[in-house]
Amino acid sequence: MTESRFEQTPPPSEPWSSGPEPRPTGRPAREPAFNAPWQAVAVVVLIVAGYGVQTLFPIDAVETAYAFAPANLVPGRWETVITAIFLHGSWSHAMMNGAFALAFSTPLARLFGPKIEGALLFFGFYLLTGVLANLGYAGVHPGSPALIVGAWGGVSGLMGGAARLIGSADGRPGPMFSRSVLGMGGGWIVINLIIALFGGAFLPGSGSAGIAWEAHLIGFAAGLLLIGPFARLAPRA
């Protein structure tokens, strides 16, 4: 009697019965929810936290000592051209400056890069455009005792620089009269004409100091002009 053997082959497996799926070995990359360059964040901290420190002292005393007025240039109080950039008249004034600074400083921070030499160029650009904005205001109102405070001049400089970077294919400054420059510049002119007409009714107040809309426009123009030479100094990646 012979014995025959039959090998039993399993039925072909089906997709829904093939067992548990293998686990991926790594986690998928996630985009960070907040990825602004650190220089952009630092500017916001300077503006908002700086006003927080300012509130610890009487506002009249602070503005008398550190706010800028064109009349300050006669007795040689040139330091107020810089110190006024770090003062604000209210939380809403500081927060609005901080929001605009965060939006428009990001393209410049990425142009200059995160290293120390790039950061120095970035903050130098911000301060220089702010100083030129204040001096431009003094040129329009020579000898005026009116106090002005706020980072709007420097923030407008960042806006002017960003206008030439936005839409640029290679990340370098684009033409002086590109579409983005004309669009942002035209919008900024209109906004400041409204400020000139309505003053504090349009923007958050700046305490006893005024809203120097002329400085806004001069800062924007300074940013447009200075981003070219500053970009040539930017470290190469």
Side-chain angles (χ1 to χ4, degrees):
M1 187 175 180
T2 59
E3 182 180 358
S4 61
R5 297 185 178 180
F6 298 92
E7 290 187 11
Q8 187 174 0
T9 57
S13 58
E14 298 180 7
W16 57 83
S17 61
S18 59
E21 291 289 332
R23 292 186 177 182
T25 56
R27 294 182 178 179
R30 294 181 179 178
E31 285 291 330
F34 186 79
N35 60 353
W38 70 266
Q39 303 98 311
V41 177
V43 171
V44 178
V45 171
L46 281 173
I47 292 172
V48 178
Y51 180 71
V53 173
Q54 180 187 333
T55 59
L56 302 176
F57 305 93
I59 186 170
D60 290 339
V62 170
E63 290 183 350
T64 300
Y66 301 109
F68 173 70
N72 290 353
L73 301 179
V74 177
R77 295 184 58 204
W78 288 81
E79 73 281 356
T80 58
V81 174
I82 298 174
T83 57
I85 298 173
F86 300 95
L87 302 182
H88 291 85
S90 64
W91 278 113
S92 57
H93 187 206
M95 294 296 288
M96 178 171 285
N97 271 309
F100 273 75
L102 181 62
F104 294 110
S105 61
T106 297
L108 279 81
R110 289 175 176 158
L111 168 69
F112 295 127
K115 295 182 179 179
I116 185 64
E117 58 268 32
L120 290 174
L121 284 171
F122 172 83
F123 289 109
F125 181 91
Y126 170 68
L127 288 176
L128 181 57
T129 54
V131 166
L132 291 176
N134 286 341
L135 290 176
Y137 177 84
V140 177
H141 303 280
S144 171
L147 297 174
I148 62 172
V149 297
W152 271 118
V155 172
S156 296
L158 296 174
M159 187 188 304
R164 291 188 60 187
L165 293 173
I166 294 173
S168 175
D170 58 357
R172 311 296 292 180
M176 186 70 70
F177 299 104
S178 66
R179 181 177 298 179
S180 59
V181 170
L182 294 176
M184 291 173 64
W188 197 222
I189 289 173
V190 170
I191 290 172
N192 281 280
L193 288 177
I194 296 174
I195 295 173
L197 292 174
F198 298 101
F202 179 71
L203 285 180
S206 54
S208 59
I211 298 177
W213 62 270
E214 301 95 332
H216 301 173
L217 297 180
I218 294 168
F220 185 88
L224 284 177
L225 294 172
L226 290 176
I227 189 59
F230 267 77
R232 286 193 287 270
L233 297 173
R236 298 294 179 179

